[in-house]
Amino acid sequence: MAQADRVMAKTYLRQPVVITRGEGTTVWDADGKAYTDFVAGIAVCNLGHAHPRVVKALCDQAGRLFHVSNLYYTQPQTELATWLVDHSFADRVFFCNSGAEANEAAIKLARRYFHERAERRHRIVCAEKSFHGRTMATLSATGQDKIKTGFQPVLDGFDFVPFNDIAAMKRAVTGETCAVLLEPIQGEGGIRLPEPGYLQAVRELCDQAGILLIFDEIQTGIGRTGKLFAYEHYGVSPDIMSLAKALANGLPIGAMLAREAVAQAFGPGAHATTFGGTPVVTAAALETLRVLTEEGVIDKAAETGRYFMSRLRELKDRHASIVAVRGVGLMIGMEMNAPAAPLVAAGLDRGFLVNCIQETVLRFAPPLVVERAAIDRLVDCLDGLLAGEEDRAQ
Ligand code: PLP
């Protein structure tokens, strides 16, 4: 840890633990201590760690072919794109390597679409408290000042409105607007859900204005909310969608999906990336998606999520320090009335990985295969920690 702190860029505040191994929902540190993982690499390892089928797909492909670039066709990439097209609203897929890159592609495609139609529309309406990434375009699209501090001037062309405020969005859409970009459920902003009817109203607004709807499903996608994509909960589909995080269960991948008419705006040379959709990563992603659907993992996530939320609501009834419990599926936040970092540290001590967003929100994003017994152990641990805090406060 001391060596890492000397040589690594200081962009992360890390927990004082070296993780060396993982299996299912458990990881172990260098001293052999076990932790139950409620972070899952920040909503990434949806099948848990070292899933045997994903490991096998990865190793088989690694022994055959790592990489050839997108100058050639490869089978795993084509099969993955086909799977995604078959299971979503989209007709075409662009592969990249991260969430920010998937959003970059989405932003560029939206602008290019109107350029091809000779319409002067380039502005994108985004939500306050949103998070879309750390590259210059995606931090410009992010509705949190702290992400932009020190990097101004940010890219022009992004307008911000409060999430769930359709009237504000109507006012923000002008003749220069090309798209609305939203997370269907805000993740990093504190696990914030759309109010009933909001996403439908946004879709109608986009249709009336003739502009594109982009959903950032980087955190909500791939089963996290108990559906393959969160948009399925709301009966609203976008024109463009970005994916990353859980798509390959931990290998770096991003994807931008679009309807045919929109995707047409990206011809050869319009956009590219050397590693996008490389065979090893796409083989792992394809197997991840097959396991998720064949083994009923997504339905289980919906059911386990309901159980988890009910246990957390019981906890809220017992502890005044819990302000709110919010979530869908296994994307859950518990807002506290004070900074939650001490709970993260105390949880680590007791063998749980949890993390904290927006200072006061504990975020739970375990592997979707998490068992009820693990949830019970975490809730009991939190119960004890909160009772201890209350005793000390008296
Ligand atoms: N969009 C959302 C909704 C995210 O939650 C994240 C990451 O947390 C990103 C974009 C950025 O993804 P990445 O860190 O892979 O660039």
Side-chain angles (χ1 to χ4, degrees):
M1 289 189 274
Q3 176 71 1
D5 290 343
R6 269 195 296 279
V7 297
M8 301 285 295
K10 296 180 178 178
T11 53
Y12 278 89
L13 257 186
R14 295 174 199 264
Q15 296 298 319
V17 59
V18 181
I19 309 284
T20 54
R21 189 165 70 83
E23 197 182 312
T25 49
T26 308
V27 295
W28 286 267
D29 71 11
D31 300 322
K33 178 175 166 184
Y35 302 82
T36 310
D37 187 358
F38 282 85
V39 177
I42 320 186
V44 167
C45 307
N46 282 5
L47 295 176
H49 299 276
H51 191 285
R53 279 182 58 183
V54 181
V55 171
K56 182 168 186 318
L58 170 67
C59 293
D60 287 354
Q61 183 58 47
R64 269 197 298 275
L65 182 70
F66 263 49
H67 176 78
V68 282
S69 89
N70 287 305
L71 299 176
Y72 310 96
Y73 293 94
T74 62
Q75 187 151 347
Q77 183 184 84
T78 310
E79 284 188 32
L80 178 61
T82 305
W83 197 102
L84 290 169
V85 163
D86 287 348
H87 290 80
S88 74
F89 72 93
D91 303 301
R92 288 188 186 272
V93 183
F94 171 82
F95 288 117
C96 49
N97 313 289
S98 68
E101 275 183 67
N103 282 334
E104 284 275 344
I107 292 164
K108 287 180 70 176
L109 181 63
R111 287 188 171 193
R112 183 90 171 193
Y113 173 71
F114 285 100
H115 169 84
E116 298 292 296
R117 293 158 55 116
E119 284 187 52
R120 295 170 68 90
R121 290 178 177 270
H122 70 283
R123 304 193 70 83
I124 299 184
V125 180
C126 306
E128 290 169 8
K129 296 197 168 77
S130 59
F131 182 76
H132 298 296
R134 303 280 192 157
T135 60
M136 278 311 295
T138 58
L139 75 79
S140 305
T142 289
Q144 300 185 52
D145 288 344
K146 67 179 183 198
I147 307 287
K148 300 177 187 179
T149 304
F151 302 116
Q152 285 91 350
V154 299
L155 196 68
D156 178 39
F158 299 94
D159 301 305
F160 292 91
V161 295
F163 191 59
N164 276 326
D165 186 340
I166 191 70
M169 185 169 283
K170 279 185 186 151
R171 287 193 298 274
V173 170
T174 69
E176 290 194 328
T177 305
C178 68
V180 168
L181 166 59
L182 288 178
E183 298 156 84
I185 300 163
Q186 292 192 325
E188 300 303 302
I191 314 292
R192 296 180 193 279
L193 277 56
E195 280 166 11
Y198 175 65
L199 295 176
Q200 288 89 332
V202 173
R203 176 74 267 180
E204 276 168 31
L205 173 61
C206 290
D207 291 343
Q208 279 160 12
I211 60 174
L212 303 175
L213 177 57
I214 309 172
F215 278 161
D216 174 343
E217 290 239 20
I218 287 161
Q219 191 160 149
T220 53
I222 322 296
R224 172 58 49 194
T225 69
K227 300 260 189 210
L228 181 57
F229 304 115
Y231 72 76
E232 297 169 26
H233 288 288
Y234 307 102
V236 171
S237 44
D239 302 298
I240 302 176
M241 174 170 72
S242 48
L243 298 175
K245 285 198 181 280
L247 184 50
N249 208 48
L251 289 168
I253 186 170
M256 191 270 303
L257 286 70
R259 293 186 199 283
E260 179 67 27
V262 181
Q264 282 300 333
F266 265 3
H271 194 50
T273 166
T274 300
F275 287 122
T278 208
V280 170
V281 175
T282 46
L286 186 62
E287 194 65 0
T288 299
L289 294 171
R290 286 182 174 151
V291 175
L292 274 174
T293 43
E294 284 166 21
E295 299 188 3
V297 177
I298 298 177
D299 289 342
K300 182 171 187 279
E303 199 185 301
T304 314
R306 281 191 290 274
Y307 177 73
F308 200 168
M309 293 274 290
S310 72
R311 294 285 342 252
L312 291 174
R313 289 198 170 115
E314 283 165 30
L315 205 59
K316 178 174 178 294
D317 291 341
R318 282 202 295 281
H319 301 283
S321 53
I322 303 175
V323 177
V325 174
R326 297 186 288 267
V328 183
L330 283 166
M331 180 172 179
I332 299 176
M334 186 166 88
E335 186 166 351
M336 312 301 298
N337 65 1
L343 284 172
V344 172
L348 189 75
D349 235 28
R350 288 159 182 76
F352 295 98
L353 302 188
V354 291
N355 94 317
C356 157
I357 45 181
Q358 301 294 325
E359 287 201 13
T360 54
V361 181
L362 275 185
R363 184 226 326 250
F364 307 109
L368 306 185
V369 293
V370 67
E371 295 294 341
R372 286 183 178 207
I375 291 170
D376 289 340
R377 281 190 280 111
L378 174 74
V379 172
D380 290 348
C381 170
L382 289 170
D383 201 9
L385 291 172
L386 294 172
E389 273 183 8
E390 284 149 15
D391 286 349
R392 273 193 299 282
Q394 273 162 20

